[in-house]
Amino acid sequence: MPNESILQETLERIMSQNESVVFTLLSLDMFRTLNEGWGYFTGGKVYKEASWAIQSFLTEKDTFFTIDHNKFAIITPTSLKTRQYHKLLKDMKNFFTHPITIDHEIFEVTASIGISSYPKDGIKASDIIESANIALQWARISESHVNAAFYTGTVRDHQKNYTKLKRDLHYAADRGELFLEYQPQVDMKNNNIVGVEALLRWKREDGKIIAPMLFIPLAESSGNITNLGDWVIKEVCLQATKWRNKGINLRLSINISPVQIYSDYYFFTKLQRELSNASIPTSIVDLEVTEKILQDHCGFLEKFIKQAQFMGMRVYLDDFGKGRSSIDFLRKFHFDGIKIDRSIITDIADSSRNKKFANSLIQLAGSIANYIVIEGVESNAQLEALHIDEGKTIIQGFLFSKPLRPEHIPSFISQYKKQPSFEGCQKLSNLTI
């Protein structure tokens, strides 16, 4: 493991001997989680396997380093435009799109790659290394299985904005910038509103609303997601108490980040404490996890599901159909319910092929889980195209209601009971936004 000074000296020497040099940093994502789940011995084997694979892609002109137990550095004295370097990049990407097998166990290892070049991105080795680090951090923001980013002025500016946004998010709760909206869920068996999904929102002091698709990954990558998750659970419990005092009893769906499952060892202790303090029964709590955690070979998800179900809660697989999960993964984990992603429903009424595909997926989900939630239903045409098992299906979408501020839920439910027609739902929800 060379220290940074040796890496810098080597890079300086190679730069002085060549007109152009490419510097590549590759980081194994979630490597700490792998070590904690399987131990450092297994983690070390995975790291060595990745190291050997990367070295097999190199030529005699490349200089290879291992850094910080989860990073690799490659110095290539060639132009970025050459076919040779792009082949190296392609080979590395391809390697990390496939699982690594160690002692008959399969590990999904994702990676991020940052790339800088001399003399375009600096004239000193320290500048080239820093530029590659900035590009690497930007690559990590992507949700791709493996992503590479080249350093540019735009990347630098984006990274500065990203760093500022991350800092602002850290203080968002204390500043009162965070709030929750709740989207009603309708049971198709009796046409009643039976639950709500809690959705986190961020409105900055300057009035700008930051989209969840931006700040949730930011919170996950920075480790702040645990604090945000704690805040959400506390707020949901406080709000549920207010509703229950008014005679409104709803199931509560709460999104749980994979990072919380991997790293928050006290998650259930804290959740139980908040539920107990608010006198909320665990039996009305649904915990939602996304498809991307299915490729967990460290046993975290399996333990999470068992513990939640032992406490009387349901666990839902969210975004089903959006990712690339296999049937083997679905058979392995015993989810109580599955949420069909809105992308499956969007074009369901446009053709018979889309209709068959969507309903086949819904039927598959229904054969695996006891409860089905179909998200993103926005029109009567979409609803009529669905083959619904009314005994286990819940609908969530703009056809019934947009996400609502908590103070508007009681009046919306009251009016919905009086006028439970699909056409009237959107009119009722519009007045609460």
Side-chain angles (χ1 to χ4, degrees):
M1 292 279 181
N3 58 37
E4 192 166 330
S5 62
I6 296 176
L7 173 62
Q8 192 166 313
E9 289 171 6
T10 305
L11 180 56
E12 288 278 10
R13 176 176 54 81
I14 295 175
M15 286 166 53
S16 67
Q17 296 172 354
N18 295 273
E19 292 183 358
S20 62
V21 174
V22 180
F23 182 72
T24 306
L25 279 179
L26 186 148
S27 173
L28 304 182
D29 302 327
M30 301 294 289
F31 195 68
R32 178 182 174 185
T33 301
L34 189 149
N35 283 332
E36 291 175 349
W38 285 87
Y40 287 94
F41 182 72
T42 299
K45 284 188 173 182
V46 172
Y47 182 81
K48 287 181 180 178
E49 186 72 21
S51 174
W52 292 333
I54 294 171
Q55 290 182 69
S56 71
F57 304 141
L58 305 181
T59 70
E60 67 278 0
K61 294 182 180 180
D62 299 306
T63 304
F64 179 78
F65 289 93
T66 54
I67 314 170
D68 296 339
H69 302 281
N70 74 320
K71 283 184 181 179
F72 306 102
I74 303 167
I75 305 172
T76 304
T78 184
S79 168
L80 276 173
K81 296 180 180 179
T82 62
R83 205 175 281 177
Q84 181 182 9
Y85 181 77
H86 282 289
K87 183 180 184 304
L88 166 62
L89 192 58
K90 182 179 179 180
D91 288 341
M92 289 192 294
K93 283 186 173 184
N94 286 340
F95 173 75
F96 287 103
T97 57
H98 299 90
I100 296 175
T101 302
I102 302 292
D103 297 333
H104 306 293
E105 293 289 346
I106 301 174
F107 299 90
E108 291 273 349
V109 181
T110 61
S112 300
I113 303 171
I115 306 157
S116 61
S117 64
Y118 163 80
K120 182 175 74 72
D121 301 323
I123 57 174
K124 295 190 298 183
S126 57
D127 295 334
I128 299 302
I129 294 172
E130 177 62 20
S131 296
N133 263 308
I134 291 173
L136 176 64
Q137 295 303 318
W138 186 246
R140 281 176 174 161
I141 298 172
S142 169
E143 292 190 8
S144 300
H145 196 70
V146 55
N147 194 51
F150 291 86
Y151 177 82
T152 64
T154 302
V155 165
R156 180 193 62 224
D157 293 340
H158 281 321
Q159 184 61 24
K160 285 182 179 178
N161 293 334
Y162 179 81
T163 301
K164 183 180 185 303
L165 203 62
K166 181 167 63 175
R167 183 178 65 247
D168 291 345
L169 180 60
H170 183 76
Y171 298 104
D174 295 336
R175 293 172 177 169
E177 297 176 357
L178 300 179
F179 63 96
L180 293 177
E181 291 184 329
Y182 297 85
Q183 187 166 29
Q185 299 171 329
V186 178
D187 188 340
M188 297 307 295
K189 184 176 182 180
N190 50 31
N191 201 24
N192 287 336
I193 297 173
V194 293
V196 289
E197 179 184 1
L199 300 166
L200 182 59
R201 304 292 191 240
W202 180 18
K203 185 177 183 179
R204 297 172 64 176
E205 287 181 326
D206 59 8
K208 184 177 181 181
I209 295 178
I210 309 300
M213 66 178 64
L214 176 61
F215 75 79
I216 294 299
L218 185 153
E220 290 177 333
S221 64
S222 66
N224 194 32
I225 193 68
T226 298
N227 294 330
L228 290 184
D230 293 344
W231 184 89
V232 168
I233 289 171
K234 186 172 184 178
E235 289 296 311
V236 169
C237 290
L238 290 173
Q239 186 57 57
T241 299
K242 294 177 183 178
W243 287 334
R244 290 169 71 83
N245 289 339
K246 295 181 179 181
I248 298 173
N249 298 302
L250 298 169
R251 296 199 64 82
L252 308 169
S253 292
I254 304 172
N255 292 282
I256 307 301
S257 164
V259 177
Q260 290 174 272
I261 295 176
Y262 286 139
S263 61
D264 190 355
Y265 303 111
Y266 303 102
F267 172 81
F268 284 109
T269 301
K270 292 184 290 186
L271 175 57
Q272 181 65 68
R273 182 178 65 241
E274 295 296 340
L275 292 171
S276 298
N277 290 342
S279 299
I280 303 296
T282 57
S283 59
I284 68 168
V285 177
D286 298 334
L287 303 179
E288 298 184 16
V289 299
T290 59
E291 266 197 350
K292 63 183 178 181
I293 196 166
L294 285 178
Q295 294 160 353
D296 159 37
H297 298 277
C298 299
F300 287 93
L301 178 57
E302 190 171 7
K303 293 175 184 176
F304 178 89
I305 294 174
K306 287 181 178 179
Q307 181 63 30
Q309 293 172 340
F310 175 77
M311 294 172 64
M313 293 177 277
R314 296 177 187 171
V315 181
Y316 276 73
L317 172 63
D318 196 8
D319 296 338
F320 180 66
K322 179 181 180 180
R324 59 175 197 163
S325 61
S326 70
I327 301 302
D328 285 339
F329 283 123
L330 292 178
R331 287 192 300 185
K332 177 180 178 181
F333 301 111
H334 301 287
F335 292 101
D336 298 287
I338 291 177
K339 296 191 75 173
I340 306 298
D341 187 73
R342 66 181 63 251
S343 62
I344 303 301
I345 307 303
T346 301
D347 302 323
I348 189 173
D350 293 350
S351 69
S352 59
R353 185 176 184 275
N354 290 346
K355 182 177 178 180
K356 287 180 181 179
F357 175 78
N359 283 304
S360 295
L361 200 63
I362 293 169
Q363 184 179 11
L364 171 63
S367 67
I368 297 172
N370 293 324
Y371 306 96
I372 303 297
V373 177
I374 302 177
E375 294 185 291
V377 179
E378 300 182 358
S379 68
N380 282 309
Q382 289 175 324
L383 186 66
E384 291 168 0
L386 292 170
H387 296 163
I388 293 176
D389 180 349
E390 294 185 352
K392 60 166 56 177
T393 303
I394 292 170
I395 299 294
Q396 179 180 338
F398 281 17
L399 175 63
F400 292 94
S401 176
K402 299 175 181 178
L404 308 175
R405 295 299 292 266
E407 61 269 23
H408 297 305
I409 289 291
S411 60
F412 179 79
I413 292 177
S414 176
Q415 293 181 68
Y416 180 83
K417 288 180 179 179
K418 296 176 184 178
Q419 187 184 4
S421 65
F422 301 142
E423 293 82 359
C425 292
Q426 290 173 301
K427 296 179 182 178
L428 294 176
S429 65
N430 286 337
L431 59 87
T432 65
I433 300 300

